[in-house]
Each structure stands twice: as C-alpha cells, then as structure tokens.
Amino acid sequence: MVLRAPWKAPNCTLAPVQFPKVRFLLSVAGVDQFPAEPGREVAFAGRSNAGKSSALNAIVQRNALARTSKTPGRTKLLNFFELEPGRRLIDLPGYGYAEAHATERVQWTALIEALPARENLVGLFLIVDIRRGITPQDEQLVEWAAAAGWQVHVLLTKSDKLNQRERAAALKAAQEQLGESMSAQLFSAEDKTGVQAAQAKLLAMLKI
C-alpha cells in the first residue's frame, strides 16, 4: 500500500508553534505553594466570561491548556504554566462573578494581593470583552498593576462580534483610558485576530 502525502491547498503554510514546550506547571491555593521565583512571569486576568482562557489558549496555540467553560468563574485557583524554563504565565481567577462564595473570594484576594511581592512578575495581560469596554473593576486592576511596576497590555477580546467601525471606536476608547506606558489591541480567539501581535508582546515582556 502506498500512502499519499496529505493534500494541502496552494500557498498554504502551517503557522509555526511559538511556544513548543509550554506545559501546565501547578495550581496554587495558598501563598506557600507559589513556585520558586527565578525567571520572569506574566499574569493573565480579566472579568469572568471575558474570554481569558480562550485568549491564553490561542496565544500559546493549544486547544485546552487553560480550561474554558460556558460557566463563569471556573478558574478558582492561580494556575501556573511554563513556556520554557524560567518563563511562566499565571492564570488568575476571573473577577466580577456574583455567584462565587464569599470564602472563595477571600482566598482569591489573599493570593492575588501576594503577587506584587514576586519580583519576577513583570507584566499583566488584561482580558476585556470589547463589547463591555474597560470597566471600573478593570481600571482598579490596572492601577494596582501599575503600582506594582508591571507592564500592562489589554486584549479587547471577541472583536469578531463587532464591525470595523465599532472595533476602531472601542480600541480608541480603551487607549484613552489607559496610561501612556500601557497598550491595547484588538483580539479574537475565534478568527485569530491579533494573535501574532499578542505573542510578540508576551515575548517582549518575558524577554524571550
């Protein structure tokens, strides 16, 4: 039997995998469980149901590295992922989820408030649903991250849900809300808008 090579459309090339060694590292429920600090880290945060897990998966080109769900608030721990030795991502619990138990919110708050003490945490990717825009809660997180000395980059997710004019207006509004040292971009895990730009920003933050 002779096997033929898979058919490929003319001029079709497979996108190179930017982070071939990415892997889940551990979930953290307490400050004492944080991994050793050498290297650099970038945190991913955003409101529940803003598309944070989908964005993370799209950037690292994995279908299910970060668990996605139609139920808001599924991420209840701090999840660490390793891109390569000494380079990590931290997936933070989504905020603004009304049904989260009070004890869970206390646990999340204690974990997140401990993060600025990690000297190797250098950046924050803030995930914002483009249809909502940057909310007061998002602004509080941006101010907190800026006070910690982190770089801040906003992903306006689900941009495929808006037309071109609406996308441009949302991006302009976000940029006007952010400080001069912060940045924002359009993003869609569905049609891959902005994936390469987000990868480039992440690489720069981590100095890979």
Side-chain angles (χ1 to χ4, degrees), residues 102-181:
T103 56
E104 289 180 339
R105 290 198 293 269
V106 170
Q107 179 188 27
W108 301 346
T109 301
L111 287 170
I112 293 171
E113 287 182 344
L115 288 175
R118 293 182 67 79
E119 294 183 358
N120 58 317
L121 183 47
V122 297
L124 173 72
F125 267 54
L126 177 60
I127 313 305
V128 173
D129 186 328
I130 193 171
R131 297 167 297 180
R132 282 179 171 267
I134 297 176
T135 67
Q137 281 185 304
D138 297 325
E139 289 182 326
Q140 290 178 6
L141 186 62
V142 166
E143 292 174 1
W144 174 74
W150 304 341
Q151 301 176 58
V152 176
H153 185 61
V154 175
L155 297 185
L156 297 172
T157 60
K158 307 183 183 182
S159 64
D160 58 289
K161 305 295 184 183
L162 302 183
N163 61 39
Q164 185 174 355
R165 180 182 58 80
E166 292 169 333
R167 290 194 297 268
L171 179 59
K172 181 180 179 181
Q175 290 171 330
E176 290 175 348
Q177 283 183 263
L178 297 172
E180 292 182 359
S181 62

Side-chain angles (χ1 to χ4, degrees), residues 6 8 25 29 37 39 41 43 88 122 136 144-145 150 167 174 178 196:
K8 185 170 66 173
L25 196 59
E37 293 198 20
E41 297 171 339
R88 293 179 294 271
V122 297
W144 174 74
W150 304 341
R167 290 194 297 268
L178 297 172
Q196 290 186 341

Side-chain angles (χ1 to χ4, degrees), residues 78-94:
L78 268 64
N79 294 316
F80 284 75
F81 303 95
E82 184 182 75
L83 297 179
E84 62 179 49
R87 298 294 186 269
R88 293 179 294 271
L89 306 180
I90 310 175
D91 186 12
L92 306 185

